[in-house]
Amino acid sequence: MPQLSIIIPAYNNSRYLPECIRSLTMQDYRDIEIIVVDDASTDDTSSVVKDLAEHDSRIRLIQHKKNAGTLASRKSGILASHGSYVMLIDQDDALAPNALTSLMLFAQQHPSDIYHFGVKVHAANSQAQQAAAGMTSFLTPTPRTLQGEDILQYQFASSNGFDWHVHHKMYSGDFARNAYTLASDTRLVLSDDLYMSFILCSTASTYIAIPDSPWYIYHLGRGDTLGQQLTPKTSETIAQRDAQALSLLKKFVSQESSKIKRSDWDDRLADVRNRLIEHTMNEWKDNLPSENQKKTLQHILQYWEPDTVCGEIYRYVRDYAYAYLTAKDHKSQKALCDKANAKTYLDMARYIEKNNGLPGSSKNNHYLGLREIAYTHLYDSGLLARPQSQPHGLRALLSTFLTRL
């Protein structure tokens, strides 16, 4: 039985797959199996893997007859693995030289269910280069050890959490296989990392983030649509997939809460809801042309509760109003743009609220908190007239600390 199983979900990207596999076969650490799960590719993925397997018996191919999505591909590979440890890697990424030697040496000295290590971001184009620093920061874990309930509590926290990618992590083999048996046999892409991270972190006993460990090579912008403009349809698809992940997690909690005892399931589901809607709305705001945004909101509201959508819109109001509030010259082009954007997004939020009985009917603290801070900045900046009964001293002080939530 190999010490380490490495699973690669693959679909129609044979261009980079050999490079990924070679970064594994050329490692100094040799006691591995490499399981490539071909998710019914229509290119030459299977033949490429078969050719590589002829030269290295550690490579194994699993073929799906029908395209089932990333979650299903990862699940197939994990459940077919035999290693004492398990790792996932994306088909267009790689591992740094000697990464496995370092990782396995650490694991032998520090038993854990989850080992979280760092990345080197390689930007594939100019747009990726602009995003590389932020992505490196997001994907580089804070060195620490977490136990029990703290793992899931930190995972999706608004501050001091850690990223939810299932790659650049190694798992105890039996732990990972048990966790993936709990995953739904449903097609899920894009949001499957976050969905599976929730399950893994809710069932783990120990999580360790390894210091100084940039061992995963993340090719940002290679094989994806980084920076590409969305259409109303693709924006709606993102909203649907993120909402599907939340629905599946609610189902998971409903089925497993009697076995996995913790008192904060509602709070943890709220955390993951906030991260998912944040993703949906950031894509909507950043990559959908502004002339399509208001109309597309109606489609997003088919999948998401109005107060969750409003919360994210108030986040934009908050940021633009604060930028205007702190501008040195309120007549500068940037300040005037911030002012216009704050009012545009405020109008959108108010429209949704008016048609859905908000905020009075909401118990969503995330939405209510963002709304409160947004209005504070609107009043303090003069973009809205402050109601005569509106207290502002303590509230303004509080908002200063909460501005960058």
Side-chain angles (χ1 to χ4, degrees), residues 184-199:
S184 175
D185 291 318
T186 302
R187 177 180 174 81
L188 185 64
V189 295
L190 295 183
S191 303
D192 57 292
D193 274 88
L194 187 146
Y195 166 74
M196 202 61 225
S197 284
F198 187 98
I199 294 176

Side-chain angles (χ1 to χ4, degrees), residues 96-123:
N98 302 317
L100 293 185
T101 297
S102 300
L103 183 57
M104 295 303 293
L105 179 61
F106 184 92
Q108 290 169 11
Q109 298 172 348
H110 305 86
S112 183
D113 289 327
I114 302 174
Y115 300 92
H116 190 176
F117 53 99
V119 301
K120 290 181 180 179
V121 176
H122 289 190

Side-chain angles (χ1 to χ4, degrees), residues 227-241:
Q228 181 175 320
Q229 279 197 343
L230 298 180
T231 65
K233 181 61 177 176
T234 53
S235 181
E236 180 182 352
T237 298
I238 290 171
Q240 184 271 329
R241 288 173 174 171

Side-chain angles (χ1 to χ4, degrees), residues 8-244:
I8 309 172
Y11 178 69
N12 282 359
N13 200 352
S14 62
R15 176 182 178 185
Y16 299 116
L17 187 56
E19 178 185 343
C20 173
I21 293 175
R22 279 195 294 270
S23 79
L24 307 177
T25 58
M26 297 299 290
Q27 292 282 319
D28 288 344
Y29 189 85
R30 307 287 296 171
D31 192 9
I32 64 174
E33 66 172 348
I34 301 167
I35 302 173
V36 182
V37 182
D38 178 13
D39 194 23
S41 297
T42 57
D43 67 358
D44 61 342
T45 290
S46 291
S47 61
V48 166
V49 176
K50 289 176 182 177
D51 181 64
L52 292 169
E54 288 183 1
H55 298 88
D56 195 319
S57 61
R58 298 174 297 171
I59 301 171
R60 183 153 57 104
L61 174 66
I62 295 175
Q63 292 179 273
H64 285 174
K65 294 181 178 179
K66 294 182 179 180
N67 183 263
T70 319
L71 175 64
S73 296
R74 287 169 168 164
K75 183 173 182 178
S76 293
I78 292 284
L79 296 185
S81 69
H82 300 98
S84 300
Y85 299 94
V86 170
M87 179 192 301
L88 291 151
I89 183 170
D90 284 352
Q91 61 187 344
D92 49 6
D93 291 335
L95 288 185
N98 302 317
L100 293 185
T101 297
S102 300
L103 183 57
M104 295 303 293
L105 179 61
F106 184 92
Q108 290 169 11
Q109 298 172 348
H110 305 86
S112 183
D113 289 327
I114 302 174
Y115 300 92
H116 190 176
F117 53 99
V119 301
K120 290 181 180 179
V121 176
H122 289 190
N125 50 52
S126 58
Q127 289 178 320
Q129 186 64 51
Q130 294 174 10
M135 186 61 73
T136 300
S137 177
F138 177 64
L139 295 177
T140 299
T142 300
R144 57 185 162 184
T145 297
L146 300 173
Q147 306 282 349
E149 293 189 4
D150 287 347
I151 302 171
L152 185 61
Q153 185 172 348
Y154 275 93
Q155 166 73 101
F156 300 105
S158 59
S159 62
N160 203 29
F162 55 93
D163 78 271
W164 45 84
H165 291 79
V166 294
H167 61 58
H168 76 282
K169 297 181 177 78
M170 185 175 76
Y171 309 95
S172 171
D174 289 340
F175 160 75
R177 287 182 282 270
N178 288 335
Y180 267 88
T181 61
L182 302 175
S184 175
D185 291 318
T186 302
R187 177 180 174 81
L188 185 64
V189 295
L190 295 183
S191 303
D192 57 292
D193 274 88
L194 187 146
Y195 166 74
M196 202 61 225
S197 284
F198 187 98
I199 294 176
L200 287 160
C201 288
S202 67
T203 55
S205 296
T206 307
Y207 158 99
I208 301 177
I210 305 173
D212 301 320
S213 56
W215 301 330
Y216 189 97
I217 299 176
Y218 183 72
H219 288 284
L220 182 62
R222 175 190 280 188
D224 62 26
T225 56
L226 181 70
Q228 181 175 320
Q229 279 197 343
L230 298 180
T231 65
K233 181 61 177 176
T234 53
S235 181
E236 180 182 352
T237 298
I238 290 171
Q240 184 271 329
R241 288 173 174 171
D242 285 344
Q244 180 190 7

Side-chain angles (χ1 to χ4, degrees), residues 350 371 375-376 378-380 383-392 395:
R350 283 176 160 178
R371 184 181 191 275
Y375 271 99
T376 297
L378 289 166
Y379 296 143
D380 289 348
L383 293 177
L384 287 182
R386 187 187 301 276
Q388 290 185 354
S389 61
Q390 182 81 38
H392 56 88
R395 187 168 295 163

